[in-house]
Amino acid sequence: MTTPDTSETPAALALWMVDEGAPAPAVDAAALRALAWALKDLGYAAWSSNPARVARVADALGRLRAGDHALDAGAEVSAVAAWIDGIADLTCGRMREATGRFDAAADGFRALGLPLEAARAGVPKIIALSIFGLHGEAAAVGEATQRELLALGDRQAASKVSLNLGNLYCRCNDYPLALRHYREAAVLFARIGDHERSVMSDVGMADALASMGDFDESLRICARARMRAGQHGFPVLGALADEAVALVALSRGEYHEALAGLEACRRCYEKLGMPQHLAIAEKQLADVYLEMRLVPEALALLTGALERFAALQMPVEQGWALAQKGRALASLEPPDAGADDAFAAAGALFRAQDVKAGEAMIALAQAELALRRGEAVDAMRLASNARARYEAAHIAEGGWRATAVLADAELMAGRIERSAARFDGALAGARAMRLLSVEVRCLAGRGSAALAGGDVDAARRFFEAAIAAFEEQRRLLQGDDLRDGFLADHLRPYLALLRLALADAPQDGSDQAASAVLESLERFRARVLDERLGSGRALADEVGDVEVGLRARLNWLYRRMQRLDGAEPDGGPIDEARRIEHELLEHGRRRLFASLPRDAGPVADRAFDADTLQRALDPAEALVEYGVQDDVLFACVVTRDHVTLVNPVAPWPAVTEALRAARFQIETLRHGTMPVARHLDVLVRRAQVRMATLHALLWAPLAALL
């Protein structure tokens, strides 16, 4: 390391100290103060482009402050150092420490008779207080700081306060007020040529507009922000704009775009060393998983996110993650009792931070849980409460979701006409905002209302429309586990049409009626082979070292469990193997998300056709397909000449009990015949009895057709 030339400019010396880790140069007090301010500017410049660099700037200021040559500039250097230490704390998620640093900096500047610098040092304190959940205090500090800056004639710093207040009110879900502050900040920054904060204001406006339901305008502003961030070299702001676009896609049910966008942002935040944004991105991926009903995967991500939010002192985000955890637990079958505890903990955090939208979300989630429990009156009360809260917060998307749940609750309570009217209203709102998942729910609900009112033809039309809208969403999903998980929670219209086909078949008795049942049954079964082949795409990168290590560990665990290494298997290896299997699956999904273009086209489905199936069969061949409806097993028998419905075949509980008994009998031989050699004849006779029972239930009723 060479010694810096003290004749260099303060900016050059600052770069030298940060990039080379050089010691503080021996300069006079004036030069020392100038160097401290140059380091401060360097730290601010790195905040949105290279957050990890802020810590190196803070270290350089620490060396400057600790030098024996500080002379009379020590107090001023200390105040500047405290300011940048606070920024470094912000980037690392240490909110409590950051607020103390900013206070120390402001106090130091005031003691030196520098009121303008004291006021400027208070600007980032608004961010720290807001993230820490102290919204009221943050708002008060922001308003007071802005008045002070305007009185001192610093409109640029006052504009930064407007930006921070916009962020604050966005976190508090007061989106109209947030939008006003963002617009004010955007105009002021544009006038003074502050491109970085002008882009920040654009991203904030896009977030607020999306929350208020103006998705098209939000996307337009996101595109502008993304372009400007790229032009001026602000990768963090570009990622934030991409994140806003992904969240709009999530709201609209465009899960392919949401997954690809959020994973790209997550990788960017990980690369840039931004723990707060990284934790939020992980939670948002969990949100997508939960919408697609990949519940175990969502719970795994939410558990990790909760730990990060606690470590990073982010109580508002903790509240959102807890609320989503409650929704995930409530979606299990049966609902997990921990859902109520998660909702209670989230509600306490939201009330403490005065987050109205969070309280609305919990009310809506509890309404959904009441619906699953069959508690129509409680569901109506909670859904009405949620809708009122969303409307008060100007969150149109949440309002339509709550309306759809309210309509379902009213249908359960027998209020058919009112339910139909609410579904119609929510359907119109969902279509206007392109909320595809809400649209599917409303169409399915409208079909159920029509069926309850006796209009079978209208019910069929609504169910078919729901299926068409759902399939359009599902075609865009890449990867069988994603698509099958998404399918699992959207069978309502499929099952309704199957029920109608089964109801028609006894009166008809024709091959055509039986074919209609078969086609309805096939519509929600696993997709044909060419879809599985067509949906695969090359991954973006090689399998990483982490996955190689995980696979090696998993293979060792498999050998241990199989006793190939002489070790006795126990619960530990089994639990660890399951955890690693889930982790490997998640790595694979992440690589898949990263490899997909945002505008990937749909994957083609091939519609099932009974006539085509019949032509593919030889005269001596037959196909039997079983189905279950209302605890009754039925079957469709397909030959080259006929499609025949056999309904009922057997009671489904009797079939499941016979299967359980047969499996138990087979399991007695899983370790070979040697341990049970003396009882083999008895076991064989028992197995034959179990097989005969299954034959009588499953095959004998169809024998005449085969």
Side-chain angles (χ1 to χ4, degrees), residues 239-585:
L240 289 174
D242 286 343
E243 183 181 318
V245 172
L247 293 178
V248 169
L250 174 57
S251 295
R252 284 179 159 173
E254 297 165 351
Y255 301 120
H256 169 273
E257 289 83 355
L259 286 168
L262 290 174
E263 175 59 14
C265 294
R266 188 199 67 79
R267 291 188 174 211
C268 179
Y269 299 144
E270 188 173 47
K271 180 179 179 181
L272 292 171
M274 302 179 67
Q276 297 158 279
H277 291 82
L278 182 60
I280 292 171
E282 289 281 348
K283 181 262 177 188
Q284 288 167 342
L285 280 169
D287 293 345
V288 186
Y289 282 176
L290 188 54
E291 287 296 312
M292 296 168 62
R293 300 306 186 263
L294 295 168
V295 178
E297 292 83 356
L299 282 170
L301 289 184
L302 288 168
T303 299
L306 281 167
E307 294 174 357
R308 293 189 182 195
F309 290 143
L312 293 168
Q313 304 172 21
M314 301 171 73
V316 176
E317 284 72 17
Q318 276 183 278
W320 288 112
L322 279 167
Q324 288 292 72
K325 181 179 180 181
R327 286 186 62 215
L329 293 171
S331 71
L332 297 173
E333 188 59 51
D336 192 293
D340 291 324
D341 294 337
F343 288 143
L349 286 169
F350 287 143
R351 285 190 295 275
Q353 319 302 328
D354 194 29
V355 181
K356 303 295 185 188
E359 295 181 73
M361 177 193 174
I362 290 175
L364 183 57
Q366 290 174 325
E368 293 267 26
L369 183 56
L371 266 182
R372 295 194 66 204
R373 291 170 173 166
E375 301 163 353
V377 175
D378 284 346
M380 285 190 290
R381 174 181 56 81
L382 289 163
S384 295
N385 180 12
R387 188 176 68 158
R389 289 177 181 272
Y390 277 126
E391 289 175 351
H394 304 280
I395 304 176
E397 176 198 349
W400 292 128
R401 292 184 187 277
T403 300
V405 175
L406 178 57
D408 262 329
E410 288 176 334
L411 182 59
M412 182 181 287
R415 302 178 180 181
I416 299 172
E417 291 185 5
R418 183 177 296 183
S419 171
R422 289 206 196 278
F423 276 129
D424 286 340
L427 180 59
R431 281 175 169 165
M433 297 178 64
R434 288 178 52 199
L435 303 174
L436 299 182
S437 56
V438 180
E439 180 181 345
V440 172
R441 180 171 191 157
C442 289
L443 286 168
R446 192 65 179 83
S448 296
L451 195 59
D455 192 342
V456 176
D457 290 338
R460 278 197 177 94
R461 289 195 301 272
F462 281 118
F463 290 138
E464 290 287 359
I467 288 173
F470 163 73
E471 288 293 346
E472 191 60 33
Q473 282 183 288
R474 186 173 178 271
R475 284 189 192 100
L476 295 173
L477 297 176
Q478 308 294 330
D480 291 329
D481 56 342
L482 301 180
R483 303 175 76 190
D484 292 343
F486 183 50
L487 175 66
D489 196 59
H490 292 77
L491 295 181
R492 180 176 174 184
Y494 295 89
L495 293 174
L497 287 175
L498 176 60
R499 189 185 300 276
L500 290 174
L502 285 167
D504 289 342
Q507 288 78 31
D508 190 315
S510 66
D511 278 19
Q512 185 177 1
S515 294
V517 172
L518 178 61
E519 289 175 12
S520 293
L521 181 59
E522 275 294 321
R523 290 179 80 173
F524 67 95
R525 288 263 173 122
R527 293 307 187 260
V528 291
L529 179 61
D530 69 333
E531 178 190 83
R532 292 184 180 274
L533 295 174
S535 64
R537 290 175 180 262
L539 298 179
D541 47 61
E542 298 291 331
V543 174
D545 292 340
V546 172
E547 289 182 63
V548 171
L550 288 173
R551 290 184 189 281
R553 176 69 177 174
L554 188 60
N555 289 333
W556 179 84
L557 288 167
Y558 285 156
R559 291 197 302 274
R560 183 177 177 188
M561 287 187 289
Q562 294 165 1
R563 305 182 187 184
L564 296 180
D565 288 339
E568 285 293 323
D570 55 33
I574 294 173
D575 292 341
E576 186 182 355
R578 288 175 179 167
R579 178 186 61 77
I580 292 175
E581 287 168 351
H582 283 298
E583 195 170 343
L584 282 168
L585 281 171

Side-chain angles (χ1 to χ4, degrees), residues 86-343:
I87 300 298
D89 287 332
L90 265 182
T91 64
C92 296
R94 298 187 292 267
M95 301 304 136
R96 183 182 288 108
E97 294 85 345
T99 56
R101 307 270 200 192
F102 296 136
D103 284 341
D107 290 344
F109 288 131
R110 286 195 181 92
L112 291 166
L114 300 170
L116 181 57
E117 285 71 15
R120 288 172 176 169
V123 174
K125 182 181 176 182
I126 305 165
I127 301 173
L129 291 171
S130 174
I131 295 174
F132 199 51
L134 301 174
H135 297 144
E137 185 177 345
V141 169
E143 300 291 352
T145 301
Q146 192 168 50
R147 286 195 300 271
E148 187 177 1
L149 288 167
L150 289 172
L152 292 167
D154 191 343
R155 295 187 63 83
Q156 182 178 17
S159 302
K160 295 177 185 177
V161 174
S162 290
L163 175 59
N164 290 347
L165 287 173
N167 294 335
L168 167 64
Y169 289 121
C170 220
R171 290 173 62 81
C172 296
N173 310 121
D174 190 341
Y175 299 111
L177 188 54
L179 188 60
R180 179 171 69 80
H181 280 287
Y182 283 136
R183 281 178 172 152
E184 177 184 274
V187 171
L188 292 170
F189 288 132
R191 285 177 180 171
I192 62 177
D194 189 334
H195 300 297
E196 181 178 3
R197 291 179 181 83
S198 179
V199 176
M200 287 181 185
S201 303
D202 272 356
V203 174
M205 276 195 287
D207 284 336
L209 286 164
S211 298
M212 294 168 67
D214 194 346
F215 292 145
D216 291 337
E217 180 65 8
S218 174
L219 291 175
R220 187 187 69 79
I221 292 178
C222 281
R224 182 177 72 188
R226 186 69 185 85
M227 178 188 69
R228 297 174 63 209
Q231 287 175 341
H232 297 290
F234 303 132
V236 174
L237 299 182
L240 289 174
D242 286 343
E243 183 181 318
V245 172
L247 293 178
V248 169
L250 174 57
S251 295
R252 284 179 159 173
E254 297 165 351
Y255 301 120
H256 169 273
E257 289 83 355
L259 286 168
L262 290 174
E263 175 59 14
C265 294
R266 188 199 67 79
R267 291 188 174 211
C268 179
Y269 299 144
E270 188 173 47
K271 180 179 179 181
L272 292 171
M274 302 179 67
Q276 297 158 279
H277 291 82
L278 182 60
I280 292 171
E282 289 281 348
K283 181 262 177 188
Q284 288 167 342
L285 280 169
D287 293 345
V288 186
Y289 282 176
L290 188 54
E291 287 296 312
M292 296 168 62
R293 300 306 186 263
L294 295 168
V295 178
E297 292 83 356
L299 282 170
L301 289 184
L302 288 168
T303 299
L306 281 167
E307 294 174 357
R308 293 189 182 195
F309 290 143
L312 293 168
Q313 304 172 21
M314 301 171 73
V316 176
E317 284 72 17
Q318 276 183 278
W320 288 112
L322 279 167
Q324 288 292 72
K325 181 179 180 181
R327 286 186 62 215
L329 293 171
S331 71
L332 297 173
E333 188 59 51
D336 192 293
D340 291 324
D341 294 337
F343 288 143

